[in-house]
Amino acid sequence: MKKAAGLITSAALVLSLLSGCGGKNDTASTNAGGDNKASGGDTPVTLRMSWWGSDARNEYTQQVIDLYEKEHTNVKIEVEYAAFDDYWKKLAPQAAANQLPDIMQMDISYISQYANNGQLEDLTSYAGSQINTADVAENVLSTGNVNDKLYGVPVGVNVLGFQYDPSMMEKAGISEIPKDWDWDTYQELAKKAGAAGIYFDSSMAPDIFFHYYLRTKGFSLYNAEGNALGYDDDKLFEDFFGMLVEMIKAKAVPTQDILTQTKGIVEENDIVKGKGIGMWQWSNQYVALQQAVNRPMELAPMPGPDMEKGLYMQPSMYFSIASSSKQKEEAAKFIDFWVNDVEANKLIMGERGVPISSKVKEALTPELSETAKQVFDFVTEMEPLSSPMSPPAPAGSSEVREMLGDYAEQMNFEQITPAEAAAKFRGEANAILANNQ
Amino acid sequence: MRYSPTTSKTKNAPLALNASYSRKKRLRANLTGYAFISPFVIGFLAFTFIPMLVSLYLSFTKYNLFADPVWIGTDNYVKMFTGDANYLNSVKVTFIYVFVGVPLRLAFALAVAMILNSKSRMVGFYRTIYYLPSIIGGSVAVSIMWRNIFSNEGIVNSALNLLGIPNVSWFGNPNASVFMLVTLSVWQFGSSMLIFLAGLKNISQEMYEAASVDGAGAVPKFFKITLPLLSSVVLFNMIMQTIGAFMTFVPAYIISKGEGGPLGGTMLYSLYLFRQAFMFSNMGYASAMAWIMLLFVGVLTGILFKTSKAWVFYESEGGR
């Protein structure tokens, strides 16, 4: 009897893990919008919209929605938001239950998974009618394509670069970052900083920068079909990650145990503490970093050779419409408002990435803070130097990305050599990608 | 209790006690009882039992929430033990966490309980103070605080710096990080402590007095009187804490920012399960993991009960 009681108790406790998660999602999906017909005009329409982001983003997004509701009195927009990780945990069960919000913020690493599962509406026919795309560059809009169909309208674009504090660089005895620098120059400068007791950077996010590196060599992290890795020569892996390991050995980059702890916490970065020069990241992250550092900072392009081949304009996020939505046209109208309305974008102020509409970008420029202007200028400068984006990450890529991160960690801790990691990564990544087909 | 409306009547009318009538009555009484427990039963069936069955089915499938589950037999279970080094690592980390953390926590709880069992004027105050960490124990806030205390710029490192000791990266060392989780769990000893305290109060003072008369010191008293008489409480605490420890999730998730790092050093079983389910969308695999955990915890609890006959002393059964 006791045994049985123990079993049942533990069973209930263990399983409450799973049922607990499910329960939460149920409540999220019960406040689904009504079944209003999408005829526009004065018929009341209730749209559901969801996004991830910080408090600041939640606040101004609500203001944009208020503005829209004021202009379209028949439309009511219900909102759901969460932090990035939680957002996807909420969205997946909603997708399984066919209860996705009408408008949802989509990420580049998830869009193909949702699109291929038929969860998203093809927006090709909306672009140019409900959604005005006259002021949007073609290779920007096409970043929302999966299998040549537009499944997401990019909300803003970002570009990779090196964000640094020139005064710290001077302290390390480096006068400037040369134009058209390459990986050799980078290593030289970084080692110089390391010798001066200053960190040059805080390493590079493995998946993003290895992907960039592969692109400069004419490859990509995933192949076009999304069922295997996109490069064949493990030497590329060894060269890139070997370089990262060497930078740690040269004290140009903090050791992995420090990196693990400070990862994702801007305030703990070495630049903020006056011990480091810069950071490799997306342009939209510059504003937050500059605010934390609170000293004049600059943006430098990525190292080459062949930066033009590697660099791409990445949509910071998309707005997608659920294929199960009953008011797709109304949802599209709101996306149009977001993309093209100047007043709305004066609230947004490029927080979701540099606006894709050239008209909005122009109208916004005089209103921008000095820091935001730097980002706009940098993105504008990089746009002609970029190539079309590789296809969005395939299903299974989140697991591959985590695994690559694990191997990078192991290499940085010197528990595995880049050569061993290259071979293991290839085998395991290909297995995961093939398994997700 | 549930017969109370009828008993008064039947007492006064013994003739009414024919079989069919009483069966009807009993049925009605039972139905009332079932109606009263129905909120629990319905909740248990809908939110625990049926999901459990579904999860058992899913554990034999490949399921990513989007597409329909695909039956793959025992592949998930086979993969767990033969093809997934991360899984075996998470088992190892969890074992360290449980089998180091639980005894330490129990020992600590017992020690504090014995101190608080002494008669002193401030004892009520201290009891409250020591119990506080447990009230907020499993919460997100405490984990964040713990991370900040031991972060690079945290209070512990700052104190070390004052003494001229360089920074220690507490959560950055792959081999040591799990012990930071263990210390956090030891610190949350309050609920076990309260139960120990109640147990200690039940031990009659006369035994200690008798032992003192016989010249026994504090140590023999502890091992010959306190521990045997407390053994049933120890068993209870041990089982509850072990089950709880196997399911620990929040501190590992918060402290490692959901990644279980460094090098999987804080990848507790539940965290890995969660990552498989909600980050990699491997719902089938995650369900299989949950069932293995359920079986393991069940078997372990069974073993604890079996062995308890050898070391748990029940006064009421005359010491058998």
Side-chain angles (χ1 to χ4, degrees):
Chain A
M1 199 46 215
K2 266 188 210 156
K3 234 184 293 173
L7 267 172
I8 289 169
T9 318
S10 43
L13 289 173
V14 172
L15 265 294
S16 65
L17 257 183
L18 292 173
S19 55
C21 294
K24 229 178 267 165
N25 292 315
D26 287 344
T27 50
S29 50
T30 42
N31 50 17
D35 293 326
N36 305 308
K37 286 277 173 299
S39 51
D42 293 310
T43 341
V45 175
T46 307
L47 294 172
R48 274 168 71 218
M49 175 180 173
S50 66
W51 69 87
W52 69 85
S54 59
D55 284 346
R57 177 178 293 172
N58 303 341
E59 226 164 84
Y60 80 75
T61 307
Q62 188 59 56
Q63 287 171 1
V64 173
I65 290 170
D66 291 344
L67 186 66
Y68 187 79
E69 287 179 341
K70 217 195 277 169
E71 289 179 19
H72 303 78
T73 42
N74 62 323
V75 179
K76 176 145 181 27
I77 299 180
E78 291 173 353
V79 301
E80 292 166 19
Y81 50 80
F84 185 81
D85 284 350
D86 299 328
Y87 180 78
W88 298 106
K89 283 158 218 155
K90 256 173 84 168
L91 212 58
Q94 291 186 13
N98 243 346
Q99 296 249 337
L100 283 175
D102 301 291
I103 306 166
M104 66 203 120
Q105 193 167 304
M106 231 333 115
D107 183 65
I108 190 162
S109 51
Y110 288 89
I111 190 168
S112 57
Q113 189 181 355
Y114 277 79
N116 289 333
N117 281 304
Q119 302 284 350
L120 304 182
E121 176 74 1
D122 176 12
L123 299 176
T124 317
S125 62
Y126 298 81
S129 57
Q130 284 90 350
I131 305 172
N132 177 10
T133 51
D135 304 316
V136 183
E138 179 50 38
N139 79 330
V140 170
L141 189 65
S142 67
T143 57
N145 281 359
V146 178
N147 306 329
D148 294 325
K149 285 180 183 159
L150 186 68
Y151 284 109
V153 174
V155 181
V157 288
N158 298 322
V159 68
L160 286 175
F162 183 59
Q163 304 165 6
Y164 66 102
D165 173 1
S167 66
M168 280 307 297
M169 204 165 73
E170 231 164 84
K171 253 191 221 168
I174 304 166
S175 56
E176 60 167 3
I177 289 179
K179 227 177 156 37
D180 300 326
W181 63 333
D182 57 21
W183 294 111
D184 292 334
T185 332
Y186 159 65
Q187 296 189 46
E188 219 172 275
L189 296 181
K191 281 177 183 164
K192 202 168 167 187
I198 293 173
Y199 293 128
F200 192 80
D201 60 71
S202 48
S203 206
M204 304 183 192
D207 56 321
I208 298 169
F209 288 90
F210 183 44
H211 178 56
Y212 164 80
Y213 181 78
L214 290 171
R215 280 174 54 99
T216 63
K217 308 283 180 195
F219 304 98
S220 64
L221 190 50
Y222 307 106
N223 68 5
E225 295 79 33
N227 56 10
L229 293 177
Y231 66 98
D232 292 318
D233 188 358
D234 280 343
K235 184 81 175 45
L236 294 164
F237 186 105
E238 282 172 51
D239 286 348
F240 182 77
F241 287 102
M243 175 181 80
L244 296 188
V245 173
E246 205 182 312
M247 290 301 102
I248 291 179
K249 281 190 195 157
K251 296 194 170 26
V253 169
T255 48
Q256 180 62 42
D257 56 331
I258 308 278
L259 291 177
T260 304
Q261 291 197 62
T262 55
K263 187 182 168 193
I265 309 174
V266 176
E267 291 74 20
E268 286 205 13
N269 193 285
D270 289 301
I271 323 169
V272 180
K273 293 183 287 191
K275 290 195 289 189
I277 293 175
M279 207 170 170
W280 299 96
Q281 57 179 3
W282 292 106
S283 51
N284 64 326
Q285 295 167 301
Y286 177 75
V287 175
L289 176 64
Q290 201 279 330
Q291 273 168 5
V293 172
N294 205 15
R295 292 188 300 269
M297 290 186 68
E298 304 269 351
L299 293 117
M302 292 296 296
D306 295 320
M307 181 196 87
E308 287 84 351
K309 268 163 75 184
L311 204 67
Y312 55 98
M313 309 306 283
Q314 160 146 314
S316 52
M317 56 198 72
Y318 308 95
F319 277 141
S320 294
I321 297 178
S323 56
S324 59
S325 167
K326 295 199 172 73
Q327 40 241 337
K328 291 169 187 140
E329 284 174 21
E330 287 295 327
K333 279 189 210 160
F334 179 78
I335 295 178
D336 174 64
F337 178 76
W338 189 282
V339 170
N340 290 305
D341 190 274
V342 173
E343 288 310 309
N345 275 280
K346 280 184 181 164
L347 295 168
I348 303 164
M349 275 304 190
E351 194 274 338
R352 276 173 158 94
V354 176
I356 59 168
S357 154
S358 54
K359 267 194 192 145
V360 168
K361 206 158 42 170
E362 250 168 60
L364 231 52
T365 310
E367 311 258 336
L368 292 172
S369 69
E370 198 51 42
T371 322
K373 198 163 170 301
Q374 277 181 299
V375 176
F376 274 51
D377 289 347
F378 183 69
V379 172
T380 314
E381 193 186 327
M382 289 298 123
E383 204 173 323
L385 301 178
S386 62
S387 317
M389 196 178 74
S390 312
S397 64
S398 55
E399 207 171 339
V400 172
R401 191 173 60 226
E402 294 293 325
M403 193 173 64
L404 183 59
D406 287 349
Y407 278 125
E409 234 182 19
Q410 290 178 29
M411 285 184 275
N412 289 348
F413 271 122
E414 293 185 49
Q415 297 205 337
I416 187 172
T417 67
E420 289 165 345
K424 280 191 167 178
F425 173 68
R426 168 175 303 283
E428 292 171 30
N430 280 340
I432 291 170
L433 291 170
N435 193 32
N436 269 285
Q437 283 306 298
Chain B
M1 273 306 277
R2 50 185 191 181
Y3 291 107
S4 58
T6 55
T7 40
S8 58
K9 272 186 199 160
T10 45
K11 248 183 214 163
N12 297 337
L15 285 177
L17 264 173
N18 70 61
S20 78
Y21 178 75
S22 116
R23 202 175 296 141
K24 233 187 214 166
K25 275 269 175 192
R26 191 171 294 166
L27 183 70
R28 252 179 78 185
N30 281 350
L31 277 180
T32 319
Y34 285 129
F36 273 118
I37 61 165
S38 66
F40 167 77
V41 172
I42 292 169
F44 175 76
L45 288 179
F47 296 112
T48 305
F49 189 68
I50 293 172
M52 269 176 78
L53 292 184
V54 174
S55 127
L56 182 61
Y57 162 68
L58 288 179
S59 76
F60 294 102
T61 66
K62 182 175 140 182
Y63 180 47
N64 67 0
L65 276 177
F66 293 104
D68 290 333
V70 181
W71 184 267
I72 53 168
T74 54
D75 280 11
N76 284 331
Y77 293 93
V78 173
K79 184 187 166 198
M80 229 180 274
F81 293 104
T82 57
D84 188 354
N86 290 333
Y87 173 79
L88 297 178
N89 172 62
S90 81
V91 170
K92 188 189 90 185
V93 171
T94 310
F95 276 7
I96 296 176
Y97 179 77
V98 173
F99 294 123
V100 176
V102 170
L104 275 180
R105 185 195 262 204
L106 291 182
F108 200 65
L110 181 55
V112 175
M114 289 180 63
I115 293 168
L116 292 185
N117 194 31
S118 62
K119 289 198 171 64
S120 138
R121 214 184 311 160
M122 294 289 279
V123 112
F125 175 71
Y126 285 129
R127 262 175 220 162
T128 316
I129 292 293
Y130 281 108
Y131 186 63
L132 273 181
S134 302
I135 297 176
I136 48 178
S139 79
V140 171
V142 170
S143 302
I144 291 176
M145 184 192 80
W146 205 252
R147 190 174 77 195
N148 286 343
I149 288 177
F150 289 98
S151 76
N152 271 327
E153 315 275 289
I155 186 169
V156 174
N157 272 339
S158 303
L160 288 180
N161 287 346
L162 280 182
L163 300 173
I165 303 167
N167 273 356
V168 179
S169 43
W170 299 99
F171 288 113
N173 184 328
N175 298 319
S177 49
V178 67
F179 293 101
M180 299 308 299
L181 294 181
V182 168
T183 49
L184 174 58
S185 99
V186 170
W187 181 65
Q188 295 162 1
F189 58 85
S191 60
S192 329
M193 178 201 78
L194 272 195
I195 297 168
F196 276 135
L197 198 55
L200 287 172
K201 296 239 175 261
N202 267 338
I203 300 175
S204 142
Q205 282 302 314
E206 288 161 18
M207 300 212 192
Y208 291 111
E209 280 159 21
S212 296
V213 170
D214 288 344
V219 174
K221 270 192 214 164
F222 175 75
F223 283 106
K224 302 275 183 201
I225 300 174
T226 314
L227 214 47
L229 289 177
L230 212 56
S231 56
S232 58
V233 180
V234 171
L235 175 71
F236 174 78
N237 268 340
M238 193 187 284
I239 288 171
M240 293 314 287
Q241 297 298 332
T242 306
I243 293 174
F246 268 110
M247 296 189 312
T248 306
F249 172 76
V250 172
Y253 180 78
I254 299 289
I255 285 168
S256 73
K257 301 170 196 125
E259 297 186 345
L263 291 186
T266 54
M267 188 67 85
L268 293 183
Y269 199 99
S270 316
L271 179 57
Y272 189 58
L273 189 158
F274 174 83
R275 281 166 66 83
Q276 283 292 347
F278 293 101
M279 291 186 68
F280 307 151
S281 302
N282 295 331
M283 287 292 167
Y285 192 64
S287 299
M289 281 185 67
W291 275 91
I292 291 293
M293 167 128 103
L294 172 65
L295 287 179
F296 185 82
V297 172
V299 167
L300 191 72
T301 310
I303 291 173
L304 276 178
F305 270 120
K306 264 259 156 13
T307 59
S308 72
K309 291 217 172 86
W311 58 272
V312 173
F313 177 88
Y314 290 105
E315 238 181 322
S316 55
E317 292 169 17
R320 274 181 297 114

